């Protein structure tokens, strides 16, 4: 391994939003970026923008075999991963639990939980062998604060938060840091996906309000990644400037 190579970050879900902004920022800072996602055309386009320090890998994180194969076959100049950013995730639907689509629940569990677990478990041995690494998992405020229609999505993000803390318990002393980064209202393709392509409906979520940008999260990920190793950032919760807390919902019966 050439010790003069720049550090490498592995980013899942890099075709848009937080992932794309993170890849762009780290590339500007001189890092190598391994960018992954299901949409090969978008990945190739981003890789061209980023240049030779970027490696695009098109696969679905919920497919265990595809994850393992892609990571096993990393070229030698990209297989010393300093940071794993588990960004891939999605919300589908906003129906109550009694009306939600089971297929939507399955997809959220497969991507937000299984995809994160598969990628983490496959890359971790490389980090442990190198005695250096940082895992940054993208959670959500929905993992801490319930809301109507959040049901399984919120449950998957609660998993991300708790899994991150348990990872840290397992890895302390092995040179691996772990952070759960939990954003609130952010304007990405998140709502377009949640509302299954209805851009008008998605735009109403962000209308006339100050929200988190992808660049805000990318800058936070970079800050977390570059802290001195005598500390570990366990969790960061970030809400939009116009987002806060509501009173408990109390139903009155006649």
């Amino acid at each position: 391994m050439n010790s003069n190579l720049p550090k490498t970050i592995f980013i899942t879900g890099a075709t848009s939003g937080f992932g794309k902004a993170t890849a762009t920022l780290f590339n500007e800072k001189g890092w190598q970026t391994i960018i992954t996602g299901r949409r090969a055309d978008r990945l190739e386009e981003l890789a061209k923008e980023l240049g030779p320090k970027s490696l695009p890998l098109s696969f679905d994180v919920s497919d265990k075999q595809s994850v393992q194969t892609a990571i096993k076959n990393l070229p030698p100049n990209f297989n010393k991963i300093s940071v794993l950013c588990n960004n891939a995730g999605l919300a589908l639907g906003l129906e109550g639990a009694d009306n939600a689509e089971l297929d939507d629940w399955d997809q959220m569990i497969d991507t937000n939980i299984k995809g994160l677990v598969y990628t983490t478990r496959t890359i971790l041995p490389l980090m442990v062998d190198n005695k250096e690494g940082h895992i940054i998992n993208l959670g959500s405020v929905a993992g801490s604060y319930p809301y109507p229609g959040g049901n399984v999505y919120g449950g998957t993000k609660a998993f991300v938060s708790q899994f991150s803390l348990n990872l840290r318990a397992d890895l302390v002393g092995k040179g691996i840091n772990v952070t759960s980064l939990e954003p609130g209202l952010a304007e990405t393709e998140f709502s377009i996906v949640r509302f299954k392509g209805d851009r008008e409906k998605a735009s109403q979520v962000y209308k006339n309000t100050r929200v988190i940008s992808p660049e805000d999260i990318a800058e936070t990920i970079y800050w977390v990644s570059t802290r001195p190793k005598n500390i570990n950032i366990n969790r960061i919760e970030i809400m939009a400037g116009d987002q806060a807390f509501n009173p408990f919902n109390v139903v009155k019966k006649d």
Side-chain angles (χ1 to χ4, degrees), residues 7 10 15 22-23 29-30 44 69 71 84 90-92 103 110 121-122 128 130 148 152 156 172 190 197-198 200 254:
K7 287 191 172 186
F10 188 109
T15 57
T22 299
K29 298 292 187 179
E44 293 295 338
T69 299
I71 295 169
L84 165 60
L90 77 166
L92 289 172
D103 287 346
D110 287 345
R121 179 61 182 83
T122 307
V128 172
N130 292 329
V152 165
T156 64
V172 64
F190 177 86
D198 189 334
E200 176 59 30
D254 292 335

Side-chain angles (χ1 to χ4, degrees), residues 2 20 43 52 54 83 85 115 122 137 151 154 178-179 184 206 210 226:
N2 184 349
K20 183 176 181 180
L43 273 182
S54 180
V83 176
C85 179
T122 307
N137 295 324
N151 43 68
V178 183
T179 301
Y206 313 109
R210 294 174 299 167
T226 54

Side-chain angles (χ1 to χ4, degrees), residues 31-96:
W31 287 55
Q32 293 189 144
T33 56
I34 302 172
I35 53 174
T36 79
R38 292 179 294 108
R39 294 173 288 191
D41 54 339
R42 287 197 181 191
L43 273 182
E44 293 295 338
E45 183 179 341
L46 179 58
K48 287 179 183 177
E49 293 176 14
L50 299 178
K53 294 200 299 291
S54 180
L55 174 67
L57 298 175
S58 181
F59 61 86
D60 185 342
V61 291
S62 67
D63 183 334
K64 179 168 58 177
Q65 188 59 56
S66 295
V67 172
Q68 293 173 339
T69 299
I71 295 169
K72 179 181 179 182
N73 292 300
L74 287 172
N77 57 323
F78 277 94
N79 68 0
K80 188 173 182 181
I81 297 167
S82 296
V83 176
L84 165 60
C85 179
N86 279 313
N87 167 71
L90 77 166
L92 289 172
L94 201 58
E95 297 82 11

